[in-house]
Amino acid sequence: MEHSGPSEVPGADASGPDPQLAVTMGFTGFGKKARTFDLEAMFEQTRRTAVERSRKTLEAREKEEEMNREKELRKQIEDVEPTPSSSSAIREHSKPPSRDTSSSDSEDSSDSSDDELIGPPLPPKTVGEPVHTVDEDILGPLPPPLGEEEEEEDDDELEDEGEEENPVQRIPDSHEITLKHGTKTVSALGLDPSGARLVTGGYDYDVKFWDFAGMDASFKAFRSLQPCECHQIKSLQYSNTGDMILVVSGSSQAKVIDRDGFEVMECIKGDQYIVDMANTKGHTAMLHTGSWHPKIKGEFMTCSNDATVRLWEVENPKKHKNVFKPRTMQGKKVIPTTCTYSRDGNLVAAACQNGSIQIWDRNLTVHPKFHYKQAHNPGTDTSCVAFSYDGNVLASRGGDDTLKLWDVRQFNKPLFSASDLPTLFPMTDCCFSPDDKLIVTGTSVQRGCGNGKLVFFERRTFQRVYEIDITDASVVRCLWHPKLNQIMVGTGNGLAKVYYDPNKSQRGAKLCVVKTQRKAKQAETLTQDYIITPHALPMFREPRQRSTRKQLEKDRLDPLKSHKPEPPVAGPGRGGRVGTHGGTLSSYIVKNIALDKTDDSNPREAILRHAKAAEDNPYWVSPAYSKTQPKTMFAQVESDDEESKNEPEWKKRKI
């Protein structure tokens, strides 16, 4: 079937296309013969290609199965210890094969009974193992050595088998980096699901953000904030989508912030005067810890000193979603110290101050599904409960210096228990390794009394298989990220350490270690201060006050800004001071009535100068007493002799 287009276009003659039409239509190529397509030939070619590919795939699959059989046979031979005769036979394989040598070897070997069998002898029988027979089709020496890729696969399988036998080899502790959070205890660690960002919180109220891809060898945090003001940070955890962080502090209100530190929501505070805690909308006492739901976005859980465990939703911060109220066997309130979700999110587990561990179904809040009343010593704060990745095992870190393992399916007694693990912090935690074969926890020490350690236990036997000396302070937090295969540790002296292995770990700390610390260029620092924009010039810019105290002192000297009152008038009012301050009564009196006292040298003479005018024209005192004032009589002054003559007789007598 052929399909051909028109050989000529209307408007074009046989000699060639019409140039006028080409200009009008905007494209050329008129008059060319269209390309012909033979569809049957194309289908036939496609069928042949498919048959060829399927044949190659089948051959490759058959070859792979044959190589796997040869691998299994070789592994079976290597697993059994070779006898002297068999070892000699194996050594003979390096030589060219001959029927005589093989037959003589077969006659010498005690285990071989078939004279016609060519190749290595049969492995000896062992008790409890089935007898392996060699295929009759396989003749001659062992198959040739495998290719490079197959050898690598075989080596990887052998390594995996060795690591399965010894999970300690999977611990990434060959290298470490130290992040300086502060000087006080790092009490919270959080790593997002992708492993790109680490967040740390401490007793200094600070929350710091670390970006592994953006850091260089200086290891500096790119953001620091105090989301809960004056409360210690107790727990930090990224949501399962990595876009929000749950912040639990010593206050009664948990907060949710985004990846950049901005607040998303804050839980409401409850009414402390309501007796039934289920009837109040939020927590009324200090929080202990919190956890995100592993499956449902936006749901998280908190536990508090008000003896409740509450479920919340980010979209509804004004009221909790559910309330779990732990109780003793007698029905009394008991305070939960830690809580967590199971891996599937269907169970809610909490450890309480009376030493009990209680597990609820998430949808049934009344009675716990499991209740073990003396998991740890009463009166000690159980600091952590953590589920394994398979969801069948629960690990609990007790304040009684123990670590215990529980089977959720048979929650009647602990599977294992380890002691001599001192703890001094109410948030010392434990976690499982990514392969679920190890359990990790930290130990605490008094200041100056040794080093805090990270202790590893094997889950199957609960043997103490490995330890890492961290620093000369307590190990409070530990986190083993499954994707990065790196271990994060928070210590009591303000450090956050990251342990990794260049071969076993991925990304994370490996990204920032290789970056050299960027040094500021001298040319940049010199030219940076001389960049001038028009509005930065002094004439356009308002003067910036460098110190408030200096400005207050300057304003104090200004009488208008300081509202300084006028000083009292002292003196006669010279120099125009009275005239300028003419707004008060005192200044008016001084200006109009007071006189200029030019002769202040003798005040008595200044007064007596007005005596003649006052006597002639009395104005103040004399008119007031003119009617009642007696007539003034003055004694005449005489000399002493006249006075003695005129004295009466009785005065002269001496008494």
Side-chain angles (χ1 to χ4, degrees), residues 636-648:
Q636 295 179 356
V637 179
E638 297 178 357
S639 62
D640 294 340
D641 296 338
E642 291 179 354
E643 286 181 0
S644 61
K645 289 180 181 179
N646 297 329
E647 280 184 357

Side-chain angles (χ1 to χ4, degrees), residues 35 107 132 206 331 503 526 573 575 626 651:
R35 184 180 178 185
E107 289 173 0
H132 299 285
D206 286 340
N503 300 322
L526 290 176
S626 60
K651 283 187 178 181

Side-chain angles (χ1 to χ4, degrees), residues 300-320:
F300 62 93
M301 165 176 54
T302 55
C303 65
S304 167
N305 260 1
D306 60 3
T308 61
V309 177
R310 298 177 190 262
L311 304 186
W312 302 84
E313 288 180 334
V314 175
E315 293 80 9
N316 186 18
K318 299 300 182 184
K319 192 179 187 303
H320 61 254

Side-chain angles (χ1 to χ4, degrees), residues 50-124:
V51 170
E52 184 69 20
R53 286 185 181 177
S54 61
R55 187 177 61 79
K56 288 182 179 179
T57 304
L58 186 60
E59 289 178 357
R61 189 176 301 168
E62 291 176 353
K63 186 176 180 181
E64 185 178 356
E65 291 177 357
E66 185 180 353
M67 298 303 293
N68 289 336
R69 286 198 300 270
E70 292 176 357
K71 258 190 227 178
E72 292 177 0
L73 179 61
R74 185 175 180 183
K75 194 181 298 183
Q76 292 170 3
I77 295 173
E78 290 179 353
D79 289 343
V80 181
E81 288 187 10
T83 58
S85 59
S86 62
S87 63
S88 63
I90 293 173
R91 284 196 299 271
E92 289 295 331
H93 286 243
S94 60
K95 300 179 181 179
S98 64
R99 191 173 186 84
D100 298 337
T101 55
S102 61
S103 62
S104 62
D105 290 339
S106 63
E107 289 173 0
D108 293 340
S109 61
S110 59
D111 296 331
S112 175
S113 60
D114 191 0
D115 295 340
E116 296 179 356
L117 184 64
I118 299 174
L122 293 173

Side-chain angles (χ1 to χ4, degrees), residues 414-435:
L415 294 175
F416 301 103
S417 178
S419 58
D420 194 19
L421 298 170
T423 174
L424 301 175
F425 293 88
M427 63 280 299
T428 303
D429 58 359
C430 58
C431 64
F432 285 84
S433 62
D435 58 1

Side-chain angles (χ1 to χ4, degrees), residues 274-311:
I274 295 179
V275 177
D276 188 1
M277 284 291 105
N279 294 331
T280 183
K281 298 180 180 180
H283 287 296
T284 61
M286 178 184 70
L287 298 176
H288 285 291
T289 188
S291 176
W292 286 99
H293 193 283
K295 303 291 184 183
I296 302 175
K297 182 179 179 181
E299 180 180 323
F300 62 93
M301 165 176 54
T302 55
C303 65
S304 167
N305 260 1
D306 60 3
T308 61
V309 177
R310 298 177 190 262
L311 304 186

